[in-house]
Amino acid sequence: MNPLLEIVDIRKQYKQVVAVDGVSQTIGRGSCFGLLGPNGAGKTTLIEIVEDIIAPTSGTVLYKGKRRAAQFRQEVGIMFQQTALLSYLTVAETLETFSRLYDHTETIGHLIGLCHLEEVKDQPNDKISGGQKQRLLLALALLNRPELVFLDEPSTGLDPQARRNLWDIIKAVKSQGRTIVLTTHYMEEAEKLCDDIAIMDKGGIIARGAPHDMIHTHCRRATVSVPKDRFPEKIPALQGFVRERGERVQIRTENVNAVVGQLLSSGVDMRGVNVRTPTLEDVFLKLTGRSLRE
Ligand SMILES: Nc1ncnc2c1ncn2[C@@H]1O[C@H](COP(=O)(O)OP(=O)(O)OP(=O)(O)O)[C@@H](O)[C@H]1O
């Protein structure tokens, strides 16, 4: 890996609370790195240290192999969870106002197009929806054409359609070759956007890797569930562990295709049969014994 960021033994303590407990990670150029974890895991604290907004109690962050200098602020874009916007400015005026803070900026028209803000560009900030506001905050984070973009829980509070719309824009930003560092407690967001994930819990990183590899390493088994009244009395031994759960028969298997093939060739009517493949949520549950949303 060609690291853009090296996080070296970062620790942050607030009185009795150790928010980040000795985290070391590297983040590769051009990757979309996701920090996934439940509320209070320490994600925001760690990211704010990496963004150079708060100082760690100990540890170092290197950017392009060196300690961060003034150039770091010029080359990064940050989409905060909350940013106060002047209510009487329009979306376009807001972008123009913030663009004066930088020496080199993206054209406002390009950002309005990229972030799907055409329809609301002349609306005041207090007359736009939650999804449109998040897209404006993303556009603001991209104003200085950053090489590295931080997104702190970008889709929190959005409805599913607004969330998917924002994800499409983030994918477009990613395809421009920028490095993205994203924090989230939505595993679906991490799975959809990130090629590299670290799962954080209680101030530490408990797993790291590509989403698919992480699932494959920790949770190989899928569950095929068949209504009991559709499950044949005679069936050849299935490639999985069979158990009854209420009105359904569940087959836990590492080979879903083989099991589904066996069911089909035994004449099982597939209506009502469902397959549940493992997710990052299952990885978290397996590693911590708790749900991501607890
Ligand atoms: N300024 C602060 N002073 C004291 N404790 C803090 C401060 N900031 C964070 N903490 C504590 O540090 C721990 C980690 O908090 P942090 O906000 O980093 O978690 P998080 O994973 O980002 O959670 P969330 O998903 O809810 O934003 C929590 O126990 C929190 O209460």
Side-chain angles (χ1 to χ4, degrees):
M1 179 168 39
N2 182 7
L4 186 68
L5 279 169
E6 292 161 77
I7 300 167
V8 187
D9 202 16
I10 291 288
R11 187 180 156 83
K12 179 74 180 178
Q13 181 150 8
Y14 294 107
K15 295 198 177 114
Q16 305 304 318
V17 179
V18 179
V20 179
D21 194 7
V23 167
S24 295
Q25 298 286 311
T26 53
I27 297 173
R29 279 171 208 255
S31 67
C32 182
F33 174 81
L35 194 57
L36 179 69
N39 292 120
K43 306 180 296 294
T44 303
T45 306
L46 176 61
I47 289 307
E48 286 185 351
I49 290 167
V50 178
E51 289 166 343
D52 210 11
I53 292 174
I54 58 173
T57 307
S58 60
T60 321
V61 177
L62 301 178
Y63 174 66
K64 297 182 178 173
K66 300 194 182 100
R67 283 178 187 270
R68 292 158 302 177
Q71 162 229 14
F72 182 72
R73 291 285 166 100
Q74 283 293 323
E75 292 184 9
V76 304
I78 302 178
M79 178 181 171
F80 294 100
Q81 271 185 50
Q82 295 292 334
T83 297
L85 299 172
L86 289 173
S87 59
Y88 54 85
L89 286 185
T90 66
V91 164
E93 286 166 348
T94 305
L95 285 163
E96 276 154 20
T97 307
F98 277 85
S99 74
R100 292 189 203 118
L101 298 173
Y102 300 103
D103 300 336
H104 304 287
T105 54
E106 196 64 83
T107 62
I108 307 292
H110 174 78
L111 287 174
I112 285 176
L114 178 69
C115 296
H116 305 174
L117 291 166
E118 295 91 343
E119 281 179 18
V120 291
K121 69 181 168 49
D122 298 319
Q123 297 261 13
N125 290 327
D126 61 355
K127 298 273 185 312
I128 60 176
S129 69
Q132 289 158 347
K133 182 168 180 209
Q134 290 306 95
R135 301 207 297 277
L136 171 56
L137 295 182
L138 177 57
L140 289 171
L142 298 172
L143 258 177
N144 57 332
R145 288 191 272 175
E147 192 173 332
L148 170 63
V149 188
F150 292 96
L151 308 174
D152 191 6
E153 309 207 349
S155 71
T156 295
L158 299 187
D159 63 61
Q161 196 191 337
R163 177 169 297 155
R164 270 193 290 275
N165 195 344
L166 187 72
W167 289 348
D168 286 342
I169 300 167
I170 295 172
K171 282 184 199 160
V173 173
K174 182 178 155 185
S175 69
Q176 296 170 334
R178 298 173 208 257
T179 306
I180 298 178
V181 175
L182 176 146
T183 65
T184 184
H185 48 249
Y186 296 121
M187 56 128 204
E188 197 193 347
E189 181 161 82
E191 275 183 344
K192 286 261 163 32
L193 297 177
C194 302
D195 34 53
D196 184 10
I197 288 177
I199 298 184
M200 190 164 191
D201 189 36
K202 295 182 182 156
I205 304 295
I206 57 170
R208 166 91 190 251
H212 180 268
D213 293 347
M214 219 187 286
I215 291 166
H216 191 70
T217 305
H218 297 285
C219 300
R220 285 167 173 246
R221 282 199 197 154
T223 304
V224 181
S225 164
V226 186
K228 210 149 102 183
D229 56 6
R230 299 231 167 124
F231 197 75
E233 280 182 18
K234 287 207 167 107
I235 186 165
L238 288 166
Q239 284 193 32
F241 168 68
V242 183
R243 64 188 182 190
E244 282 190 24
R245 283 285 182 274
E247 289 308 302
R248 302 187 74 88
V249 176
Q250 287 185 347
I251 305 119
R252 301 263 294 135
T253 180
E254 286 187 22
N255 193 342
V256 176
N257 291 347
V259 168
V260 171
Q262 284 178 294
L263 293 173
L264 279 170
S265 55
S266 301
V268 172
D269 181 348
M270 295 305 279
R271 282 171 297 180
V273 172
N274 54 50
V275 176
R276 190 182 167 280
T277 49
T279 64
L280 288 172
E281 183 86 49
D282 298 302
V283 173
F284 188 80
L285 188 65
K286 177 155 186 206
L287 294 176
T288 67
R290 290 179 293 120
S291 155
L292 262 173
R293 273 177 281 277
E294 262 173 28

